[in-house]
Amino acid sequence: MQQKIFYSIFSACFLLLLIVNIFLIFSFEAFLERELFLKLESSAKQVKDSANKYINGELKYISHHRLTIINNDGEVLYDNFADISKLDNHILRHEVQEAFKNGVAKSIRYSDTLQEKTLYYALMHDNLIIRLSNTHDYLFGSIVRFMPYFIVEFFAFLFLSLLLAKVLTRKILKPIIECDIDSLSKDSSYKELHSFVKKIKFQNKVIKQKQKEILLLIENMSDGIIWLNRHGNILSVNKSVSLYFSDIESTLSIYQLSDCTFLKIALEALEEFKKNKQQENKILQLKIAHYECEVVLSSIISKNKFKGMVIVIRNITEKKIAQKLQREFSANVTHELKTPLTSILASSEMIRNKLVAKEDLDSFVDRIYCESRRLLSMIDEILKISFFDEGKEDRLKKIRINLKNIVERVSERLSLIAEGALVTIKLDVCDCHIFGVEDLIEDSIFNICHNAIRYNKPNGEVLITLHKENDAIKLSIKDTGIGIPQDSLPRIFERFFCVDKGRSKKLGGSGLGLSIVDTALKYHNATIDVKSEVGIGSEFIITFKEVES
Ligand code: ADP
């Protein structure tokens, strides 16, 4: 910008200087022309009375001007520059004709005699034309004599133009260079800058805001971030890092960290980045402060130089647990499916090979039927678990539902089973609305109620109560069954967990029901609590958030 302004001012000055100088030269030429004509005129007036003496040869005109005396026939009678015998008739010369007509005449034209552009002054005296002339070169000579002055003036002005351009550029840019955006008041001399400054101020505000947001985001990120310089000094850390290194706030260098494994990895990466061996991010998994972590180490390169390193620590403990559970689940599924299938295969093979006595055939067929049903319900439950594991529940539509209707429907569906198990179902319900997926809620309530019947005693009871409590809805399913031992209580929601495997198998259970219930309720932001006493019974309490009716 500075250069542009400087060159603009200088070019303008230089152009002005050229125009002024050209004008001066032309004006000077015109001035000299006028001066020459005056000289010619005065010389002509001086010689007019002595014209005859020049003609007769009594006088000789000695001057740098040319004197020509012509008679009224155009014949040249005297010329101090040329041999008159060789001169042609001058009657047709413009200045001669004009002088005969008007008494005096001036003309600038090409001279046949002198072979140059020439200035003529002619006057008529005693029927003679006294003509004085001089070549244009004579003028040029005068200009050349003045040339050194022109050159000095030109360079002086050129120097002044440079100086002016420099001073003006500095003066114009001074307020911009020294501009303090905040103190640029409305009455400053640069009013044109106000809208520009306004825009900059606005941009500044936006940038500061974004900067704040980014810092806030980094500060509150769940991943821990450590910035190091090339020497391993800690430049900055965010809040989450303290989860892994409790005294990180007071740690100045990475060398002060007590976790040897982490330190070794970080130092190795720092060395590799420094030696340019490693340009890409280094990603590895390790345990930091009891957490399974994924650590990403990235180099900070500026102008092709290694400046430092960023370490991102991500807690993947839950992911690891989930992976472990998934692995265990797959192993369990295989095992659990294999058991009924083996039983079905063995029984059917014995029947096929006619190894079963006629009287035992019914019990064999019965076993195949029960195991097949168990297999089918297990596959059904595994499919439900996979459905949740794949996160497909998000596709289900949540609607406003009345829990009372669902509870009544479940009780109806279970009435025959309850009757068969000699268990009475009692209801104490009122209208309670929640927002949820009807099928999932019904399946969950069915499962708990079904367990309350299955793990009950003959002549036992299942009491289902549904009521509002402050902003919550409490659904309680209380039975007078066998109860759950205290040490098993925290595990009943685990996949494939059964308190008594034999009993569950007999009752057609797989240990998957409550884990499905737990997942489905979590999806509805509902909680489930269990109270139980062996031999007395169990109570499952589900707490939902109420929807405004
Ligand atoms: P299952 O198909 O074996 O019933 P669940 O996941 O539904 O599997 O239940 C897990 C275990 O919790 C059961 O095996 C059972 O031992 C215990 N359980 C669940 N509900 C009750 C209850 N109402 N009374 C006693 N035990 C129960």
Side-chain angles (χ1 to χ4, degrees):
M1 188 179 178
Q2 195 167 354
Q3 256 189 359
K4 215 172 169 186
I5 294 176
F6 174 81
Y7 284 121
S8 302
I9 296 173
F10 178 67
S11 309
C13 291
F14 186 69
L15 197 73
L16 206 69
L17 181 67
L18 271 183
I19 294 168
V20 168
N21 273 293
I22 291 167
F23 176 75
L24 267 178
I25 290 169
F26 279 105
S27 308
F28 189 60
E29 194 190 356
F31 168 77
L32 288 176
E33 232 174 63
R34 208 165 58 89
E35 282 296 299
L36 185 59
F37 270 125
L38 283 173
K39 273 183 193 165
L40 293 174
E41 185 183 347
S42 96
S43 300
K45 280 176 183 166
Q46 273 173 22
V47 300
K48 69 175 181 186
D49 293 328
S50 318
N52 285 324
K53 286 183 182 172
Y54 288 115
I55 297 165
N56 298 334
E58 289 166 36
L59 278 174
K60 216 170 183 191
Y61 189 68
I62 301 164
S63 165
H64 47 268
H65 298 318
R66 178 186 171 197
L67 171 66
T68 314
I69 302 170
I70 306 150
N71 68 10
N72 53 0
D73 293 328
E75 190 188 343
V76 178
L77 303 176
Y78 178 80
D79 196 306
N80 63 336
F81 273 29
D83 180 2
I84 55 169
S85 61
K86 287 179 185 159
L87 292 174
D88 57 356
N89 193 294
H90 275 41
I91 196 71
L92 288 175
R93 300 289 198 274
H94 177 257
E95 68 282 355
V96 174
Q97 284 197 348
E98 283 291 304
F100 276 129
K101 225 193 273 169
N102 304 322
V104 286
K106 283 178 193 173
S107 112
I108 301 170
R109 61 176 176 79
Y110 189 79
S111 163
D112 291 336
T113 314
L114 302 175
Q115 303 279 306
E116 269 182 70
K117 195 181 167 190
T118 308
L119 284 87
Y120 294 98
Y121 180 83
L123 67 81
M124 199 175 76
H125 181 72
D126 286 344
N127 276 336
L128 291 173
I129 297 294
I130 314 296
R131 189 185 77 171
L132 272 131
S133 60
N134 211 328
T135 60
H136 205 272
D137 266 4
Y138 173 76
L139 287 183
F140 187 70
S142 302
I143 292 171
V144 168
R145 277 202 305 283
F146 269 94
M147 225 26 163
Y149 300 104
F150 274 122
I151 291 169
V152 169
E153 173 261 354
F154 181 82
F155 281 105
F157 273 100
L158 196 73
F159 174 72
L160 278 175
S161 301
L162 276 169
L163 207 71
L164 190 74
K166 210 172 169 183
V167 171
L168 280 180
T169 307
R170 205 177 292 165
K171 217 172 165 197
I172 290 169
L173 289 177
K174 197 179 169 199
I176 299 170
I177 292 167
E178 293 172 1
C179 172
D180 174 7
I181 287 176
D182 294 322
S183 65
L184 194 90
S185 60
K186 288 256 179 232
D187 52 277
S188 85
S189 49
Y190 278 81
K191 290 211 164 42
E192 299 78 3
L193 278 180
H194 286 154
S195 67
F196 175 66
V197 167
K198 226 168 140 183
K199 265 185 204 156
I200 289 184
K201 274 185 176 177
F202 177 72
Q203 290 293 339
N204 263 355
K205 221 170 137 185
V206 172
I207 291 168
K208 273 183 192 162
Q209 184 64 29
K210 292 269 170 240
Q211 210 172 17
K212 255 190 205 167
E213 279 171 21
I214 290 169
L215 285 176
L216 204 75
L217 210 77
I218 292 172
E219 188 57 22
N220 294 303
M221 257 172 79
S222 57
D223 295 347
I225 305 180
I226 306 173
W227 280 270
L228 300 176
N229 68 8
R230 57 178 291 122
H231 308 295
N233 295 328
I234 296 172
L235 302 175
S236 173
V237 292
N238 72 345
K239 235 193 265 170
S240 302
V241 179
S242 54
L243 184 74
Y244 312 102
F245 307 103
S246 52
D247 52 352
I248 193 75
E249 294 292 340
S250 55
T251 311
L252 299 173
S253 162
I254 191 146
Y255 294 94
Q256 291 170 267
L257 292 177
S258 50
D259 190 317
C260 297
T261 323
F262 179 79
L263 181 63
K264 193 173 164 246
I265 287 164
L267 290 179
E268 264 174 25
L270 204 64
E271 260 335 285
E272 278 171 19
F273 286 142
K274 241 188 242 180
K275 285 178 190 161
N276 246 353
K277 270 192 209 160
Q278 178 115 14
Q279 287 288 350
E280 283 173 11
N281 293 348
K282 218 176 162 186
I283 304 169
L284 31 99
Q285 291 186 1
L286 69 146
K287 215 168 180 171
I288 311 173
H290 314 295
Y291 294 106
E292 291 290 345
C293 297
E294 186 179 76
V295 180
V296 183
L297 304 112
S298 324
S299 59
I300 305 167
I301 309 277
S302 171
K303 290 177 188 162
N304 272 335
K305 275 189 180 166
F306 172 66
K307 296 280 175 192
M309 184 166 80
V310 179
I311 307 173
V312 180
I313 308 168
R314 179 167 301 153
N315 186 352
I316 54 163
T317 313
E318 272 184 29
K319 193 175 148 191
K320 281 253 169 180
I321 292 171
Q323 279 173 351
K324 194 175 157 235
L325 282 178
Q326 192 63 44
R327 276 198 303 274
E328 280 174 7
F329 177 65
S330 306
N332 276 334
V333 165
T334 321
H335 175 76
E336 294 296 327
L337 289 180
K338 242 175 154 181
T339 317
L341 261 176
T342 314
S343 170
I344 293 167
L345 205 70
S347 303
S348 52
E349 213 166 80
M350 281 179 79
I351 297 171
R352 193 174 167 229
N353 293 334
K354 302 195 174 22
L355 294 171
V356 181
K358 243 188 187 160
E359 55 272 23
D360 298 329
L361 197 64
D362 280 352
S363 77
F364 268 76
V365 172
D366 208 37
R367 192 182 303 159
I368 292 172
Y369 175 76
C370 287
E371 292 292 2
S372 304
R373 282 204 61 174
R374 205 164 89 84
L375 197 65
L376 206 65
S377 81
M378 215 187 306
I379 289 170
D380 198 37
E381 283 175 334
I382 289 166
L383 286 177
K384 277 182 196 163
I385 286 177
S386 311
F387 177 80
F388 282 113
D389 283 352
E390 286 165 26
K392 286 183 181 166
E393 67 272 24
D394 288 337
R395 294 185 204 162
L396 301 172
K397 210 174 161 209
K398 280 186 180 172
I399 51 164
R400 189 170 178 269
I401 44 181
N402 190 347
L403 281 175
K404 184 186 170 208
N405 297 341
I406 294 180
V407 170
E408 282 172 351
R409 215 159 43 229
V410 167
S411 148
E412 181 62 34
R413 280 171 64 195
L414 284 168
S415 59
L416 274 179
I417 299 173
E419 220 175 276
L422 302 173
V423 172
T424 321
I425 301 176
K426 285 186 179 167
L427 296 186
D428 175 12
V429 290
C430 66
D431 285 317
C432 293
H433 292 92
I434 63 153
F435 202 67
V437 183
E438 200 162 8
D439 284 351
L440 292 184
I441 296 293
E442 186 165 332
D443 272 4
S444 301
I445 297 173
F446 184 92
N447 224 308
I448 298 168
C449 293
H450 193 197
N451 279 349
I453 298 168
R454 281 197 298 175
Y455 300 105
N456 218 314
K457 297 174 205 157
N459 301 316
E461 197 178 85
V462 175
L463 175 64
I464 307 173
T465 56
L466 176 66
H467 63 273
K468 290 178 190 172
E469 212 176 275
N470 300 326
D471 285 345
I473 294 169
K474 300 253 176 199
L475 170 66
S476 155
I477 297 136
K478 193 174 179 180
D479 65 64
T480 53
I482 57 168
I484 305 162
Q486 288 304 306
D487 58 334
S488 297
L489 265 183
R491 298 196 61 197
I492 56 169
F493 294 102
E494 283 177 19
R495 291 173 182 183
F496 292 111
F497 178 80
C498 303
V499 175
D500 179 347
K501 202 123 194 152
R503 188 181 183 124
S504 287
K505 199 175 160 188
K506 227 187 270 168
L507 295 168
S510 60
L512 290 172
L514 284 182
S515 77
I516 297 170
V517 169
D518 188 44
T519 317
L521 291 179
K522 271 185 187 141
Y523 178 60
H524 286 86
N525 292 325
T527 54
I528 181 160
D529 296 302
V530 194
K531 293 176 198 164
S532 188
E533 222 175 302
V534 177
I536 306 283
S538 313
E539 185 182 8
F540 287 76
I541 305 154
I542 306 171
T543 312
F544 291 100
K545 270 186 193 151
E546 193 192 8
V547 173
E548 306 268 303
S549 49

